[in-house]
Amino acid sequence: MNDRKTQIIKHSVELVKKYGYDSFSYADISKDFGITKATIHHHFPKKDDLGLEICYYIHENMLTAFDKILSENTPAKKKIQEYIALYANMIDEGDKICPIASLQAESNIISEKMKKEVCTIDDLENMFIEKLLHLGIQSKEFTITGNIKYEAILITSALKGALMYARIHGEENYEMISKQLLMRLNI
Amino acid sequence: MNDRKTQIIKHSVELVKKYGYDSFSYADISKDFGITKATIHHHFPKKDDLGLEICYYIHENMLTAFDKILSENTPAKKKIQEYIALYANMIDEGDKICPIASLQAESNIISEKMKKEVCTIDDLENMFIEKLLHLGIQSKEFTITGNIKYEAILITSALKGALMYARIHGEENYEMISKQLLMRLNI
DNA sequence: GTCTATACAAAGATAGAC
DNA sequence: GTCTATCTTTGTATAGAC
């Protein structure tokens, strides 16, 4: 619809991945697109308006990516590896981390509305992984010891942590850490 | 030792754990201690000076905690649990995460000097865990599949991620996630 | 939708007095 | 070591013209 509006949201997600929500400004977007700050305020009166749209965008993007992975006729192991590859792309883009990890780290800064959205996205991601784990168990690709729900949360949390580590210490670390994480599933 | 300067550093570490480095200000410290911003600038002319001292303080604190755990005549399993409890304390303090995770999330905001210090602290923590893993293997308390170095990095990264998750979703999650993480070591 | 202009507060920082 | 006072820059935000 509103091309410029979507353009700003997309770019803002990248800024969150690189600098965090509180540390990027309307001035940054202004420079990057060659428009004035006032124009951005026209589309998003308050920064929190933009912040919420950022969350919604991440949410929708995630749904699309997960639906694609689920729809493919592939074994659970392959689906999990595709999920892990989604994260890897963020480092390749240059100096970025998971936008949700970034917002989690700023949870005492963002509005209650944004916080709630972050929680919803977290739940979505964890339920997706839980689903993949159940798939793999059913197809006897692997077994899970302990609690499946928390195994899922462990996987998503560990990958977010791994991405932050790899951004500073070298992107090659992400692959090594994720490989080690999946070792318990014999993947 | 317990002079104003140290007092400011200690408090700043807590602010980093709660809000992040970029999102806390001299004005915050000023209010909390009832002193002016100028006084803080007297102790730390630039914010980066304070930032570095924050890193050094975290570094030293970590060394002390790790030395204590290593010096005790306890099995490796117990030592790992003590390490995990160190993290748990941060949530108990109220709404806080690992200060290093916070700085990692802001790695494109902080100075090169601070970034280097964060890396050093990361290495220190990972080597500590690696040591505990070797101890446990030697004493036949558990076995490790895969790469021990990356198992250590996985543990530290996962716990940082788990802490961020638990801050938003409820502190009880930290225990559940860490329990699931250690399941592979049969702890 | 985009601009200029402007307001207003906050953040980092400095000079100089006590 | 702490203060008052001041400065600069940046960030968020609004009003009104084109």
Side-chain angles (χ1 to χ4, degrees):
Chain A
M1 320 259 178
N2 201 328
D3 222 24
R4 172 108 309 164
K5 199 173 175 179
T6 317
Q7 209 179 7
I8 293 171
I9 296 168
K10 279 188 187 177
H11 189 63
S12 298
V13 174
E14 299 312 307
L15 291 173
V16 166
K17 291 199 268 185
K18 192 156 184 178
Y19 303 112
Y21 176 74
D22 205 44
S23 301
F24 89 81
S25 68
Y26 277 33
D28 293 327
I29 306 170
S30 159
K31 280 172 215 146
D32 295 338
F33 285 126
I35 53 177
T36 62
K37 291 193 288 174
T39 301
I40 306 167
H41 275 287
H42 165 76
H43 295 291
F44 311 95
K46 313 271 175 187
K47 198 182 180 187
D48 188 55
D49 298 322
L50 175 54
L52 277 171
E53 295 284 357
I54 288 170
C55 293
Y56 298 148
Y57 184 83
I58 294 168
H59 190 143
E60 282 165 33
N61 242 31
M62 196 175 265
L63 278 177
T64 310
F66 291 172
D67 280 352
K68 184 173 171 290
I69 292 177
L70 284 173
S71 70
E72 290 165 352
N73 189 25
T74 46
K77 280 186 177 186
K78 172 78 178 151
K79 289 184 197 298
I80 290 174
Q81 274 165 339
E82 280 181 68
Y83 163 76
I84 284 174
L86 288 177
Y87 271 80
N89 292 337
M90 294 179 202
I91 317 182
D92 291 342
E93 286 167 14
D95 263 356
K96 297 181 183 165
I97 61 170
C98 167
I100 293 301
S102 184
L103 294 171
Q104 278 180 348
E106 295 183 284
S107 68
N108 285 322
I109 301 293
I110 61 180
S111 70
E112 279 304 313
K113 271 191 180 177
M114 279 184 72
K115 214 160 141 180
K116 207 175 163 189
E117 246 314 297
V118 169
C119 284
T120 305
I121 297 169
D122 271 332
D123 292 342
L124 176 73
E125 188 173 359
N126 287 322
M127 278 164 63
F128 168 71
I129 296 297
E130 214 179 315
K131 198 177 285 181
L132 295 193
L133 293 180
H134 278 296
L135 274 177
I137 294 169
Q138 277 170 3
S139 60
K140 297 194 197 301
E141 289 173 64
F142 47 73
T143 54
I144 305 279
T145 40
N147 183 300
I148 293 179
K149 179 189 162 190
Y150 287 102
E151 177 70 22
I153 300 176
L154 169 62
I155 289 172
T156 60
S157 300
L159 289 179
K160 283 176 173 62
L163 213 53
M164 296 203 301
Y165 180 87
R167 172 164 71 171
I168 306 190
H169 294 265
E171 45 181 292
E172 69 279 7
N173 283 283
Y174 177 70
E175 201 195 326
M176 299 300 286
I177 303 170
S178 60
K179 194 181 277 184
Q180 188 67 26
L181 174 63
L182 295 190
M183 198 137 274
R184 59 163 71 199
L185 306 179
N186 303 317
I187 296 185
Chain B
M1 212 57 158
N2 231 352
D3 52 13
R4 179 114 290 176
K5 197 173 176 180
T6 315
Q7 209 179 6
I8 293 171
I9 297 169
K10 278 187 187 178
H11 189 63
S12 298
V13 174
E14 300 311 309
L15 292 173
V16 166
K17 292 199 268 185
K18 192 157 186 179
Y19 304 112
Y21 176 74
D22 206 44
S23 301
F24 88 82
S25 68
Y26 277 34
D28 293 326
I29 306 169
S30 157
K31 282 171 214 146
D32 295 338
F33 285 125
I35 53 176
T36 62
K37 290 196 291 173
T39 302
I40 306 166
H41 276 287
H42 165 76
H43 294 290
F44 311 95
K46 313 271 174 186
K47 198 182 180 187
D48 187 55
D49 298 323
L50 175 55
L52 277 171
E53 296 283 358
I54 288 170
C55 292
Y56 298 148
Y57 184 82
I58 295 168
H59 189 142
E60 280 165 35
N61 243 30
M62 196 175 266
L63 279 177
T64 308
F66 291 172
D67 280 351
K68 183 172 172 291
I69 292 177
L70 283 173
S71 71
E72 290 164 351
N73 189 24
T74 46
K77 281 186 178 186
K78 171 78 177 151
K79 289 184 197 296
I80 290 174
Q81 274 164 339
E82 280 181 69
Y83 163 76
I84 284 175
L86 288 178
Y87 271 80
N89 292 338
M90 294 179 202
I91 318 182
D92 291 341
E93 287 166 14
D95 262 357
K96 297 183 183 164
I97 60 170
C98 167
I100 293 302
S102 184
L103 295 171
Q104 279 180 348
E106 296 183 285
S107 68
N108 286 321
I109 300 294
I110 60 180
S111 70
E112 279 305 313
K113 269 191 181 177
M114 278 184 73
K115 213 159 142 180
K116 208 176 164 191
E117 246 315 296
V118 169
C119 283
T120 304
I121 296 169
D122 272 332
D123 292 343
L124 176 73
E125 187 173 1
N126 288 322
M127 278 163 62
F128 168 71
I129 296 297
E130 213 181 315
K131 199 179 283 181
L132 295 193
L133 293 181
H134 278 296
L135 275 177
I137 294 170
Q138 277 169 2
S139 61
K140 297 195 197 303
E141 289 174 64
F142 47 73
T143 55
I144 305 279
T145 40
N147 184 301
I148 294 178
K149 179 188 162 190
Y150 286 103
E151 177 71 22
I153 300 176
L154 169 63
I155 290 171
T156 60
S157 300
L159 289 179
K160 284 176 172 62
L163 213 53
M164 297 204 300
Y165 180 87
R167 173 164 68 171
I168 306 190
H169 295 265
E171 46 182 292
E172 69 280 7
N173 282 283
Y174 178 70
E175 200 195 328
M176 299 301 286
I177 303 170
S178 61
K179 194 181 278 185
Q180 188 67 26
L181 174 64
L182 295 190
M183 198 137 271
R184 58 163 71 199
L185 306 179
N186 304 317
I187 297 184

CSV table of all heavy atoms in Angstrom, one decimal, chain A residues 2 9 12 22 33 37 39 47 68 70 75 77 93 95-97 100 104 106 119 122 151 157 159 161 166 173 186:
chain,number,residue,atom,x,y,z
A,2,ASN,N,1.1,1.8,1.2
A,2,ASN,CA,1.9,3.0,1.4
A,2,ASN,C,3.4,2.5,1.3
A,2,ASN,O,3.9,2.1,2.3
A,2,ASN,CB,1.6,3.6,2.7
A,2,ASN,CG,2.0,5.0,2.7
A,2,ASN,OD1,3.0,5.4,2.1
A,2,ASN,ND2,1.3,5.9,3.4
A,9,ILE,N,9.5,1.0,7.8
A,9,ILE,CA,9.4,-0.1,8.8
A,9,ILE,C,10.5,-1.1,8.5
A,9,ILE,O,11.2,-1.5,9.4
A,9,ILE,CB,8.0,-0.7,8.7
A,9,ILE,CG1,6.9,0.2,9.1
A,9,ILE,CG2,8.0,-2.0,9.6
A,9,ILE,CD1,5.5,-0.2,8.7
A,12,SER,N,13.8,0.2,9.6
A,12,SER,CA,13.9,0.3,11.0
A,12,SER,C,14.2,-1.1,11.7
A,12,SER,O,14.9,-1.1,12.7
A,12,SER,CB,12.6,0.9,11.6
A,12,SER,OG,12.4,2.2,11.1
A,22,ASP,N,16.3,1.7,21.1
A,22,ASP,CA,16.6,3.0,21.8
A,22,ASP,C,17.7,3.8,21.1
A,22,ASP,O,17.7,5.0,21.2
A,22,ASP,CB,16.9,2.8,23.3
A,22,ASP,CG,16.5,4.1,24.1
A,22,ASP,OD1,15.5,4.6,23.9
A,22,ASP,OD2,17.3,4.5,24.9
A,33,PHE,N,17.3,7.7,3.9
A,33,PHE,CA,16.3,7.8,2.8
A,33,PHE,C,16.3,9.2,2.1
A,33,PHE,O,15.6,9.4,1.1
A,33,PHE,CB,14.9,7.5,3.3
A,33,PHE,CG,14.7,6.0,3.5
A,33,PHE,CD1,14.2,5.5,4.7
A,33,PHE,CD2,14.9,5.1,2.5
A,33,PHE,CE1,14.0,4.2,4.9
A,33,PHE,CE2,14.7,3.7,2.7
A,33,PHE,CZ,14.2,3.3,3.9
A,37,LYS,N,13.0,14.4,9.0
A,37,LYS,CA,12.4,13.8,10.2
A,37,LYS,C,10.9,14.0,10.3
A,37,LYS,O,10.2,13.1,10.7
A,37,LYS,CB,13.1,14.3,11.5
A,37,LYS,CG,14.6,13.9,11.6
A,37,LYS,CD,15.1,14.2,13.0
A,37,LYS,CE,15.2,15.7,13.3
A,37,LYS,NZ,15.6,16.0,14.7
A,39,THR,N,8.8,14.2,7.9
A,39,THR,CA,8.1,13.2,7.0
A,39,THR,C,7.9,11.9,7.8
A,39,THR,O,6.9,11.3,7.6
A,39,THR,CB,8.9,13.0,5.8
A,39,THR,OG1,9.1,14.2,5.1
A,39,THR,CG2,8.2,12.0,4.8
A,47,LYS,N,7.5,7.6,18.3
A,47,LYS,CA,8.4,6.5,18.0
A,47,LYS,C,7.8,5.2,18.4
A,47,LYS,O,8.1,4.2,17.8
A,47,LYS,CB,9.8,6.7,18.8
A,47,LYS,CG,10.9,5.9,18.2
A,47,LYS,CD,12.2,6.0,18.9
A,47,LYS,CE,13.3,5.2,18.3
A,47,LYS,NZ,14.5,5.1,19.1
A,68,LYS,N,6.4,-21.5,5.4
A,68,LYS,CA,7.1,-22.1,4.3
A,68,LYS,C,7.9,-23.4,4.7
A,68,LYS,O,7.8,-24.4,4.1
A,68,LYS,CB,8.1,-21.1,3.8
A,68,LYS,CG,8.9,-21.5,2.5
A,68,LYS,CD,9.7,-20.4,2.0
A,68,LYS,CE,10.6,-20.9,0.9
A,68,LYS,NZ,11.7,-21.8,1.4
A,70,LEU,N,7.2,-25.3,7.3
A,70,LEU,CA,6.3,-26.4,7.7
A,70,LEU,C,5.6,-27.0,6.4
A,70,LEU,O,5.3,-28.2,6.4
A,70,LEU,CB,5.2,-25.8,8.6
A,70,LEU,CG,5.6,-25.6,10.0
A,70,LEU,CD1,4.5,-24.9,10.8
A,70,LEU,CD2,6.0,-26.9,10.7
A,75,PRO,N,12.0,-33.9,6.1
A,75,PRO,CA,12.1,-34.4,7.5
A,75,PRO,C,12.3,-33.3,8.5
A,75,PRO,O,12.8,-32.2,8.1
A,75,PRO,CB,13.3,-35.3,7.4
A,75,PRO,CG,14.1,-34.9,6.3
A,75,PRO,CD,13.1,-34.3,5.3
A,77,LYS,N,14.4,-32.9,10.8
A,77,LYS,CA,15.8,-32.5,10.9
A,77,LYS,C,16.2,-31.4,9.9
A,77,LYS,O,16.8,-30.4,10.3
A,77,LYS,CB,16.8,-33.7,10.6
A,77,LYS,CG,16.9,-34.6,11.8
A,77,LYS,CD,18.0,-35.7,11.5
A,77,LYS,CE,18.2,-36.6,12.6
A,77,LYS,NZ,19.3,-37.6,12.4
A,93,GLU,N,24.2,-10.5,6.8
A,93,GLU,CA,23.8,-9.2,6.5
A,93,GLU,C,24.7,-8.1,7.0
A,93,GLU,O,24.7,-7.0,6.6
A,93,GLU,CB,22.3,-8.9,7.0
A,93,GLU,CG,21.3,-9.6,6.2
A,93,GLU,CD,19.9,-9.6,7.0
A,93,GLU,OE1,19.8,-8.8,7.9
A,93,GLU,OE2,19.0,-10.4,6.7
A,95,ASP,N,26.8,-7.6,10.9
A,95,ASP,CA,26.8,-7.0,12.2
A,95,ASP,C,25.4,-7.0,12.8
A,95,ASP,O,25.1,-6.0,13.6
A,95,ASP,CB,27.2,-5.5,12.1
A,95,ASP,CG,28.7,-5.4,12.5
A,95,ASP,OD1,29.3,-6.4,12.9
A,95,ASP,OD2,29.3,-4.3,12.4
A,96,LYS,N,24.6,-7.9,12.5
A,96,LYS,CA,23.2,-7.9,13.0
A,96,LYS,C,22.9,-9.1,14.0
A,96,LYS,O,23.6,-10.1,13.9
A,96,LYS,CB,22.2,-7.8,11.9
A,96,LYS,CG,22.4,-6.6,11.1
A,96,LYS,CD,21.4,-6.4,10.0
A,96,LYS,CE,21.6,-5.2,9.2
A,96,LYS,NZ,20.9,-5.1,7.9
A,97,ILE,N,21.9,-8.9,14.8
A,97,ILE,CA,21.5,-10.0,15.7
A,97,ILE,C,20.0,-10.1,15.5
A,97,ILE,O,19.4,-9.4,14.7
A,97,ILE,CB,21.8,-9.7,17.2
A,97,ILE,CG1,21.1,-8.4,17.7
A,97,ILE,CG2,23.3,-9.6,17.4
A,97,ILE,CD1,21.2,-8.2,19.2
A,100,ILE,N,14.4,-9.7,17.9
A,100,ILE,CA,13.7,-9.9,19.1
A,100,ILE,C,14.6,-10.0,20.3
A,100,ILE,O,14.3,-9.5,21.4
A,100,ILE,CB,12.9,-11.2,18.9
A,100,ILE,CG1,11.7,-11.1,17.9
A,100,ILE,CG2,12.3,-11.7,20.3
A,100,ILE,CD1,10.8,-9.9,18.3
A,104,GLN,N,14.4,-7.8,23.5
A,104,GLN,CA,14.4,-8.4,24.8
A,104,GLN,C,15.4,-7.7,25.7
A,104,GLN,O,15.1,-7.5,26.9
A,104,GLN,CB,14.7,-9.9,24.7
A,104,GLN,CG,13.6,-10.8,24.3
A,104,GLN,CD,14.1,-12.3,24.2
A,104,GLN,OE1,15.3,-12.6,24.2
A,104,GLN,NE2,13.1,-13.2,24.1
A,106,GLU,N,16.2,-4.8,25.7
A,106,GLU,CA,15.7,-3.4,26.0
A,106,GLU,C,14.3,-3.5,26.6
A,106,GLU,O,13.6,-2.5,26.6
A,106,GLU,CB,15.7,-2.6,24.7
A,106,GLU,CG,17.0,-2.4,24.1
A,106,GLU,CD,16.9,-1.5,22.9
A,106,GLU,OE1,16.5,-1.9,21.8
A,106,GLU,OE2,17.3,-0.3,23.0
A,119,CYS,N,6.6,-10.6,23.5
A,119,CYS,CA,6.2,-11.9,24.1
A,119,CYS,C,5.4,-12.8,23.2
A,119,CYS,O,5.6,-14.0,23.1
A,119,CYS,CB,5.3,-11.6,25.4
A,119,CYS,SG,6.3,-11.0,26.8
A,122,ASP,N,7.7,-14.3,20.7
A,122,ASP,CA,8.5,-15.3,21.4
A,122,ASP,C,7.7,-16.6,21.5
A,122,ASP,O,8.2,-17.7,21.1
A,122,ASP,CB,8.8,-14.9,22.8
A,122,ASP,CG,10.1,-14.1,22.9
A,122,ASP,OD1,11.0,-14.3,22.1
A,122,ASP,OD2,10.3,-13.3,23.9
A,151,GLU,N,12.8,-27.5,26.1
A,151,GLU,CA,13.8,-27.8,25.0
A,151,GLU,C,13.7,-26.8,23.9
A,151,GLU,O,14.7,-26.3,23.4
A,151,GLU,CB,13.7,-29.2,24.5
A,151,GLU,CG,14.7,-29.6,23.4
A,151,GLU,CD,16.2,-29.7,23.9
A,151,GLU,OE1,16.4,-30.0,25.1
A,151,GLU,OE2,17.1,-29.6,23.1
A,157,SER,N,16.4,-19.6,22.7
A,157,SER,CA,17.2,-18.7,23.6
A,157,SER,C,18.7,-18.8,23.3
A,157,SER,O,19.4,-17.9,23.2
A,157,SER,CB,17.0,-18.9,25.0
A,157,SER,OG,15.6,-18.7,25.4
A,159,LEU,N,20.1,-19.9,20.5
A,159,LEU,CA,20.5,-19.3,19.2
A,159,LEU,C,20.5,-17.8,19.2
A,159,LEU,O,21.4,-17.2,18.6
A,159,LEU,CB,19.5,-19.8,18.1
A,159,LEU,CG,19.6,-21.3,17.8
A,159,LEU,CD1,18.6,-21.7,16.7
A,159,LEU,CD2,21.0,-21.6,17.3
A,161,GLY,N,21.4,-16.1,21.8
A,161,GLY,CA,22.6,-15.8,22.5
A,161,GLY,C,23.8,-16.1,21.6
A,161,GLY,O,24.8,-15.3,21.6
A,166,ALA,N,28.4,-14.5,18.3
A,166,ALA,CA,29.1,-14.6,17.0
A,166,ALA,C,29.3,-13.2,16.4
A,166,ALA,O,30.3,-13.0,15.6
A,166,ALA,CB,28.3,-15.5,16.1
A,173,ASN,N,31.5,-18.7,14.5
A,173,ASN,CA,31.1,-19.3,15.8
A,173,ASN,C,29.6,-19.7,15.8
A,173,ASN,O,29.3,-20.7,16.4
A,173,ASN,CB,31.3,-18.3,16.9
A,173,ASN,CG,32.8,-18.1,17.3
A,173,ASN,OD1,33.3,-19.0,18.0
A,173,ASN,ND2,33.4,-17.1,16.9
A,186,ASN,N,21.2,-35.6,17.7
A,186,ASN,CA,21.9,-36.4,16.7
A,186,ASN,C,21.7,-35.8,15.3
A,186,ASN,O,21.6,-36.6,14.4
A,186,ASN,CB,21.4,-37.8,16.8
A,186,ASN,CG,21.6,-38.4,18.2
A,186,ASN,OD1,22.6,-38.2,18.8
A,186,ASN,ND2,20.6,-39.1,18.6
